[in-house]
Amino acid sequence: IFISSDFAKYNYNNQNSQFYGNVVLNYDDKTITCDNLDLQINKNYAIAYNNVKVMDNKSVMKAQVITLNLLTKDININSQEKIKIYTN
């Protein structure tokens, strides 16, 4: 997993991080872009929110919030609005 952003905060006590501003998370064949990403190392989760897009070579998905399990790489999509998925 590779994460880049304009800004980040790291908590030395629990090793959790907050990324904000043009966040890009790459793993396997997927790219996630968002405004904010919270990395919770102690729970093995990454939570992306605000303008979230999940892209791979077959589709583009837009949602409000997604949760990525860092161990299994499963994605949980939480959205109060309709989820938009575009396929190639």
Side-chain angles (χ1 to χ4, degrees):
I1 294 177
F2 176 79
I3 301 170
S4 67
S5 67
D6 291 342
F7 305 97
K9 290 182 183 178
Y10 177 72
N11 184 322
Y12 287 96
N13 295 324
N14 59 19
Q15 298 179 337
N16 293 341
S17 300
Q18 295 177 320
F19 300 89
Y20 50 100
N22 298 312
V23 180
V24 179
L25 185 147
N26 290 308
Y27 78 95
D28 291 340
D29 66 338
K30 297 195 179 353
T31 299
I32 299 171
T33 62
C34 58
D35 293 338
N36 302 85
L37 177 78
D38 294 344
L39 187 60
Q40 299 178 353
I41 295 297
N42 57 345
K43 295 180 182 179
N44 293 311
Y45 280 105
I47 301 166
Y49 52 100
N50 296 332
N51 299 316
V52 180
K53 280 187 193 177
V54 180
M55 297 165 278
D56 62 18
N57 57 357
K58 296 180 185 175
S59 63
V60 175
M61 178 182 58
K62 295 180 181 181
Q64 290 176 330
V65 178
I66 64 161
T67 303
L68 169 66
N69 183 313
L70 299 174
L71 297 178
T72 64
K73 298 184 182 171
D74 291 336
I75 295 176
N76 184 11
I77 304 162
N78 298 310
S79 187
Q80 292 179 3
E81 297 177 12
K82 291 184 178 182
I83 299 166
K84 297 178 183 176
I85 300 174
Y86 306 94
T87 58
N88 295 334

